[in-house]
Amino acid sequence: KMQRSRHVDAVESVEIREEGAVRDKAPAEDDEEEEIWEPDLESRIIPLLVLLGLSVINARGYSKVLFSPGCSIGDDLSSHFAEASTFASRLRKGNLDFWFSETQLGYPLFMTYTPLPLLLIGPVLALAPDLDSELFVFKCFLMCTWLVTPPAWYYGARAFRLTPLQSTMTAVLWTHVADRESFGVGVNALLGKGLLAHSVACFFLPLWLGHCSSRLSD
């Protein structure tokens, strides 16, 4: 009888310990359920997915520029294309004459617009076999400018020591920048007024500022 009672007492003590362990685990499990998920501000996966999605959306919207007949939309884009095509034709002949004689009495090519867009596009257009191909290449250049500018703002923001998530929001916000006169750094400056030099500047501006910021911080 004494052995049997000892055995019963041992079993009961084990059961009591197990019940206590279950009670101790219950609050921990409740705490885990109450935890709220928070995004990792240092994660690079979310920014990559957002930038890829933004590129797909932009490519779908800007593809109308590629497949629309005639010259690209935007007031000054036709002038940009005319100057670039003229410069390309002279490059094919080995001539570096920067005088544009197609309007009135003519004017220097760099008088109205900054030279960088022309110097970037002209050599590429010089490889095109005809005028239609030049126009297609010109539209591709516009589309590539729009697509690579948001990542440029992302990397510029990262150079300012912003988190990946904050840098991504900076890139997204740039695509929504607009001004009433269509004369600023937004996309509508190119679509509304055809300010190609502004668009090229919007690509280099965050990279240059970010580079200067990182050099100064070092």
Side-chain angles (χ1 to χ4, degrees), residues 63-77:
S63 60
K64 297 178 181 178
V65 176
L66 277 180
F67 300 107
S68 61
C71 195
S72 302
I73 57 177
D75 292 344
D76 283 10
L77 286 181

Side-chain angles (χ1 to χ4, degrees), residues 26-182:
E29 292 176 355
D30 293 339
D31 293 340
E32 290 179 0
E33 292 178 356
E34 292 177 358
E35 288 182 359
I36 300 175
W37 178 84
E38 295 181 358
D40 184 8
L41 297 181
E42 296 299 329
S43 174
R44 298 179 182 273
I45 298 177
I46 296 177
L48 179 61
L49 294 177
V50 173
L51 290 176
L52 287 176
L54 189 62
S55 298
V56 172
I57 295 173
N58 290 344
R60 183 178 179 184
Y62 302 151
S63 60
K64 297 178 181 178
V65 176
L66 277 180
F67 300 107
S68 61
C71 195
S72 302
I73 57 177
D75 292 344
D76 283 10
L77 286 181
S78 57
S79 299
H80 279 291
F81 174 69
E83 291 185 358
S85 179
T86 300
F87 181 52
S89 64
R90 291 174 182 173
L91 287 178
R92 294 190 195 100
K93 301 174 183 177
N95 185 2
L96 293 178
D97 185 7
F98 291 102
W99 182 263
F100 187 75
S101 58
E102 306 301 323
T103 301
Q104 299 177 353
L105 297 178
Y107 60 87
L109 281 174
F110 302 149
M111 183 184 73
T112 306
Y113 306 118
T114 54
L116 184 58
L118 181 64
L119 295 177
L120 291 175
I121 301 174
V124 180
L125 295 187
L127 302 176
D130 51 37
L131 188 62
D132 291 335
S133 300
E134 288 183 2
L135 182 57
F136 181 78
V137 172
F138 181 73
K139 292 179 178 180
C140 289
F141 179 85
L142 298 179
M143 188 171 182
C144 290
T145 302
W146 288 327
L147 293 182
V148 300
T149 301
W153 281 83
Y154 171 82
Y155 287 109
R158 288 290 290 150
F160 274 95
R161 303 185 187 279
L162 271 65
T163 64
L165 190 59
Q166 292 170 337
S167 302
T168 304
M169 294 306 300
T170 302
V172 173
L173 288 175
W174 176 83
T175 61
H176 293 78
V177 172
D179 61 284
R180 190 166 134 189
E181 302 298 331
S182 298

